[in-house]
Amino acid sequence: VRFPEDLEDENTTFNPEYSHQVFGDDEVAFGYKGLKILLYYIAGNLSTLFRIEYTSKVNEKFDCVEADDVESKIREIIPPGFCTNTDDFVSLLEKEVNFKPFGMLLHTYSVHNEEAGEDITYQIYKADMTCPGFREYHERLQTFLMWFIETASFIDVDDERWNYFLVFEKYNKDGATLFATVGYMTVYNYYVYPDKTRPRVSQMLILPPFQGEGHGAQLLETVHRYYMTSPTVLDITAEDPSENYVKLRDFVLVKLCQDLLCFSPGKLMQGFSQEMVMEAQQKLKINKQHTRRVYEILRLRATNMGDAEQSRSYRLDIKRRLIGPYKKKQRELAKMRRCLRPEELTNQLNQIDLNMQHEQLEESFQQLVSDYRRVLERLAQA
């Protein structure tokens, strides 16, 4: 909510992707007709208005069943101090002009908005719990995780090894510049013996109204650039990354790596090298596993897939990596069958397994190439 009229504007509403963490696996609130759970947040400091509306509710006295206590379920995840009536909320909205982003400004960028017909400015900040008011703001901000990240959990904010990176939009209201929350990322700094740290991305969320505009890539690249300057950082990883996060990371890391000398077309065609691993880690804090993916994507760009020899060479290079788990499984199966089956049957079963594995391998390869092409298409448009 930026203006009082937003309260009545259905176009500014967005719904949760998940509610199982609040309402159980069935995602059901029992005992109501016409139930509406309404959560409004002021765009910048995220002060909250919480209301519940329904047309009727089961009654223990007459219906012999009790309705779910929806209010207490929501209260468990939103911090105390929220508004319950619109007038209080609107009076807080009037003070929003005093809200300023927390922490240190790292990056400013703009995105062209077709609807508004102008460029909109965004800024990324790094904050921590020593910033006045940030602890309370973060409590409100993290409530979004429960609705938009499938396995979300609240973090221990008293642990000083957490870093917080925040994205804000700058907008004008009555001649003043205000800020709206766009999204954020939390990063935990793990200790690596003897004197290094390994930042691990824990949670990352761009709020639904801003998704699909490139903010995730801007945020991840800014975080990488922030850690790249630190001599004590070994490399940057992610905790249990989603499929979407992996795609985003592929794009950002390829964008960062493409100008390194070790990824020149000539060197790419010679195969994956230790030089790539060293340079990506030392200059960009990228680990070996992620560097390998970057190499495969950039080699695809350098490869003429219409040329039979180049295409075959690329396919074999990728499949040699993909076949590792299959070979291990094959060895384990062979050991088991030596104990359990006659030799003739073993050979036959191994052959069946091999045929199936070749199919799976080809399928994995095709899926990978399809994913890599999407990264390269996005890179070409960047």
Side-chain angles (χ1 to χ4, degrees):
V1 174
R2 303 180 187 201
F3 305 94
E5 50 269 30
D6 291 342
L7 286 161
E8 306 302 323
D9 185 0
E10 284 295 316
N11 293 325
T12 61
T13 298
F14 53 94
N15 298 311
E17 280 181 41
Y18 307 103
S19 59
H20 63 276
Q21 300 203 90
V22 182
F23 293 106
D25 290 345
D26 293 335
E27 299 190 315
V28 168
F30 171 76
Y32 299 85
K33 260 190 186 169
L35 175 65
K36 276 187 182 179
I37 301 165
L38 304 163
L39 279 165
Y40 300 86
Y41 292 83
I42 291 176
N45 74 13
L46 303 178
S47 294
T48 314
L49 168 63
F50 169 44
R51 276 208 319 259
I52 290 176
E53 296 173 2
Y54 51 88
T55 50
S56 62
K57 176 182 174 182
V58 296
N59 186 302
E60 198 174 5
K61 191 174 172 185
F62 295 106
D63 302 304
C64 302
V65 285
E66 197 176 347
D68 288 348
D69 187 352
V70 170
E71 186 167 330
S72 70
K73 286 177 188 285
I74 302 293
R75 280 174 179 266
E76 279 176 24
I77 64 161
I78 60 171
F82 55 83
C83 302
T84 53
N85 74 71
T86 307
D87 291 343
D88 291 345
F89 187 71
V90 170
S91 69
L92 284 177
L93 187 58
E94 287 164 6
K95 297 172 188 167
E96 179 73 348
V97 69
N98 301 318
F99 173 77
K100 294 290 178 281
F102 302 92
M104 170 175 70
L105 175 63
L106 296 180
H107 179 51
T108 300
Y109 63 98
S110 61
V111 175
H112 186 72
N113 185 289
E114 293 290 338
E115 206 176 308
E118 61 182 4
D119 288 349
I120 294 175
T121 302
Y122 298 87
Q123 293 185 327
I124 298 174
Y125 289 77
K126 177 190 171 284
D128 58 50
M129 287 299 155
T130 62
C131 302
F134 179 66
R135 181 180 290 260
E136 294 75 17
Y137 166 85
H138 177 262
E139 281 186 357
R140 298 189 289 273
L141 176 61
Q142 69 178 353
T143 61
F144 286 106
L145 297 177
M146 287 299 165
W147 309 114
F148 297 102
I149 293 182
E150 193 171 3
T151 55
S153 59
F154 291 164
I155 63 176
D156 175 12
V157 294
D158 292 320
D159 189 332
E160 293 174 359
R161 284 176 291 187
W162 284 107
N163 284 341
Y164 307 84
F165 298 89
L166 311 155
V167 189
F168 293 96
E169 177 195 329
K170 290 175 82 170
Y171 70 98
N172 293 314
K173 183 179 178 182
D174 303 327
T177 299
L178 278 76
F179 294 86
T181 301
V182 171
Y184 81 119
M185 179 193 283
T186 55
V187 180
Y188 192 78
N189 296 293
Y190 280 90
Y191 167 69
V192 179
Y193 181 84
D195 59 352
K196 300 282 186 188
T197 57
R198 174 173 278 135
R200 182 188 284 178
V201 175
S202 173
Q203 290 161 327
M204 177 180 182
L205 176 66
I206 301 298
L207 296 176
F210 304 97
Q211 288 174 6
E213 296 175 356
H215 303 295
Q218 289 280 356
L219 177 56
L220 187 55
E221 184 176 341
T222 300
V223 169
H224 257 273
R225 290 190 183 282
Y226 171 77
Y227 287 116
M228 270 158 46
T229 58
S230 171
T232 61
V233 169
L234 185 67
D235 52 37
I236 302 161
T237 61
E239 180 186 324
D240 192 19
S242 67
E243 203 177 306
N244 284 337
Y245 180 83
V246 170
K247 288 174 183 174
L248 177 69
R249 182 175 63 197
D250 283 344
F251 167 72
V252 169
L253 298 191
V254 169
K255 187 178 172 213
L256 289 170
C257 287
Q258 63 182 346
D259 295 325
L260 293 180
L261 281 175
C262 63
F263 289 106
S264 63
K267 293 199 173 180
L268 287 165
M269 300 312 273
Q270 291 169 23
F272 188 54
S273 68
Q274 189 59 26
E275 184 192 357
M276 294 171 183
V277 176
M278 297 289 289
E279 198 169 352
Q281 183 164 40
Q282 287 170 2
K283 293 184 177 175
L284 303 174
K285 312 297 184 185
I286 300 170
N287 68 21
K288 184 177 179 178
Q289 184 189 355
H290 300 159
T291 304
R292 172 72 201 202
R293 277 182 76 90
V294 168
Y295 153 76
E296 290 178 4
I297 294 167
L298 287 174
R299 179 158 176 186
L300 177 63
R301 184 169 71 177
T303 300
N304 175 8
M305 294 300 272
D307 179 294
E309 186 52 43
Q310 284 192 36
S311 172
R312 181 176 176 276
S313 175
Y314 181 75
R315 190 170 66 252
L316 288 174
D317 189 46
I318 305 298
K319 285 189 175 181
R320 266 196 295 271
R321 176 179 68 80
L322 293 176
I323 206 166
Y326 292 104
K327 279 186 171 174
K328 187 182 174 193
K329 193 175 172 188
Q330 194 69 35
R331 287 194 298 271
E332 287 167 358
L333 282 168
K335 276 182 196 171
M336 285 168 62
R337 290 189 180 110
R338 273 201 301 273
C339 304
L340 300 172
R341 306 279 184 193
E343 199 178 335
E344 299 86 352
L345 189 57
T346 302
N347 291 336
Q348 204 172 352
L349 285 172
N350 276 346
Q351 195 55 49
I352 294 166
D353 279 337
L354 278 171
N355 289 337
M356 202 164 86
Q357 285 172 14
H358 282 309
E359 280 178 30
Q360 289 173 342
L361 196 60
E362 181 60 25
E363 207 175 291
S364 298
F365 172 74
Q366 293 299 342
Q367 181 58 55
L368 211 56
V369 169
S370 172
D371 290 344
Y372 289 174
R373 286 195 195 284
R374 275 196 286 274
V375 173
L376 292 172
E377 280 166 18
R378 184 174 179 185
L379 202 62
Q381 292 163 5

